[in-house]
Amino acid sequence: MPFPRASQALSRFTVLDLTRVRSGPTCVRQLADWGANVVKIDALLEDGGGEQPGGPRSGSDFQNLHRNKRAMTLNLKDPRGLEVFKRLAEQADVVVENFRPDVKAKLGIDYESIRKINPRIVYGSISGFGQDGPYHKRPGFDQIAQGMGGLMSVTGAPGQGPMRVGIPVADLTAGLFCALGILTALLERDVSGEGQWVQTSLLQAQIFMLDFQAARWLMEKEVAKQAGNNHPTSIPTGVFKTSDGYINIATTGGRIWERCAQAIGAPELVADPDYATAPARSKNRDALNAKINTLTEKKSTETWVQELNAAGVPCGPIYSIDQMFEDAQVKHLGMAQHVPNDENRHIQLVSQPVTLSRTPSRMAARPPEFGEQTEELLAEFGFDKDEIADLRQRKVV
């Protein structure tokens, strides 16, 4: 029975997945979810150990990162394992790895080595700080990149010290940017006939994500500071207390501010010279927020969401994660999807946030067990039964 593909969009591409932990698997998940033939290569050590970083294979994190893939084992530290990998790479379209830059060269699986046997290969690399430069040998971790990339300096309440973002944003964005680079390189290959090396790092991804905050420094030499829940330019925008929780209210421009003031029952604030203009609201932000809070505390979150939206004022509740998945719009968007499996296990994972009208993505297959499809995959790449048996006996696979 052929392996089910998650989509037809990328079904013509074969990807060799050497990634571990989060940033690399995030990249490859994008390719797998759109139907690429992904071969996850599980590291087979000389002692046969199957433990890898990134949490237990049966855990929710691993399951969410590795759906729609097949897996085989391979000992890349054995010269025969390297020969096997090169035979796979000859037929593949993409290789993705997130080793430290020096590690892949020692193994003999770096870009220059692979392109010699397959000039069409698109080789994606994610590192902590880049493939060269003064920090290139340092191990990279998400929180380190958040700190060095400037994000922690603008996150959190003023005066409370640097604060990490609650998600591994550097890991995730580096993975997404690498996937985007790989797809760009595949498109270019259709013209040139040649592959290329796609490189990104946690540090680069994090700096890019600063966006207008970084541009403000480059263009205007303005250093952004912590602002807590306050938006740096649209005022009033932030978190306000209700009778039973909290709500986000966002105002952009004078007209929405006027509608907001009317909706909360304080039309007089519009004419107040302390709040009449954007510069005045910025200068008196704390006082304005306090006045709004005294009014929002009088009604429930649900009531304010209905009334403010009806008035054309952007707003929304602040959910815990379980509440978020119960929201009617989230359910309509199908952001939680069940994964089919023969074991009748309950596997529900986060779906892709993008839809395509003709070639949609779906949860086609559960994440593979350690080396689950080794024989199947080797056979597809042209290894015969005797070769596979010999590789097994020699503990190469």
Side-chain angles (χ1 to χ4, degrees), residues 30-107:
Q30 290 304 107
L31 308 177
D33 279 2
W34 294 106
N37 176 30
V38 172
V39 179
K40 174 173 166 48
I41 297 177
D42 289 324
L44 181 64
L45 305 179
E46 287 84 350
D47 61 3
E51 281 297 315
Q52 297 189 81
R57 204 173 187 100
S58 60
S60 56
D61 193 16
F62 184 98
Q63 296 284 297
N64 198 48
L65 284 168
H66 295 286
R67 72 275 187 110
N68 295 325
K69 303 177 183 180
R70 289 182 290 174
M72 61 171 285
T73 52
L74 187 60
N75 183 0
L76 288 169
K77 293 183 178 181
D78 187 308
R80 290 159 297 191
L82 177 60
E83 295 278 331
V84 171
F85 180 77
K86 287 184 175 180
R87 282 180 64 177
L88 302 180
E90 280 183 310
Q91 301 176 53
D93 298 283
V94 177
V95 171
V96 188
E97 58 83 23
N98 60 337
F99 296 116
R100 289 202 311 272
D102 56 325
V103 171
K104 54 182 169 286
K106 290 178 181 177
L107 290 172

Side-chain angles (χ1 to χ4, degrees), residues 101 133 163 316 379:
M163 179 69 66

Side-chain angles (χ1 to χ4, degrees), residues 236-272:
T237 292
V239 175
F240 299 92
K241 197 170 184 345
T242 66
S243 63
D244 60 352
Y246 294 89
I247 189 174
N248 271 315
I249 299 175
T251 66
T252 55
R255 290 186 178 179
I256 293 181
W257 161 234
E258 290 175 12
R259 294 201 294 267
C260 178
Q262 290 283 347
I264 63 175
E268 70 279 1
L269 293 177
V270 175
D272 190 318

Side-chain angles (χ1 to χ4, degrees), residues 15-32 38 40 64-66 69 94-99 124-128 140 168 170-180 182 200-202:
V15 179
L16 303 183
D17 178 8
L18 293 168
T19 67
R20 303 171 298 164
V21 192
R22 185 175 310 283
S23 62
T26 296
C27 168
V28 181
R29 177 176 60 189
Q30 290 304 107
L31 308 177
V38 172
K40 174 173 166 48
N64 198 48
L65 284 168
H66 295 286
K69 303 177 183 180
V94 177
V95 171
V96 188
E97 58 83 23
N98 60 337
F99 296 116
S125 293
I126 305 173
S127 60
D171 277 338
L172 296 172
T173 53
L176 293 172
F177 292 148
C178 188
L180 177 61
I182 288 168
T200 191
S201 67
L202 306 190

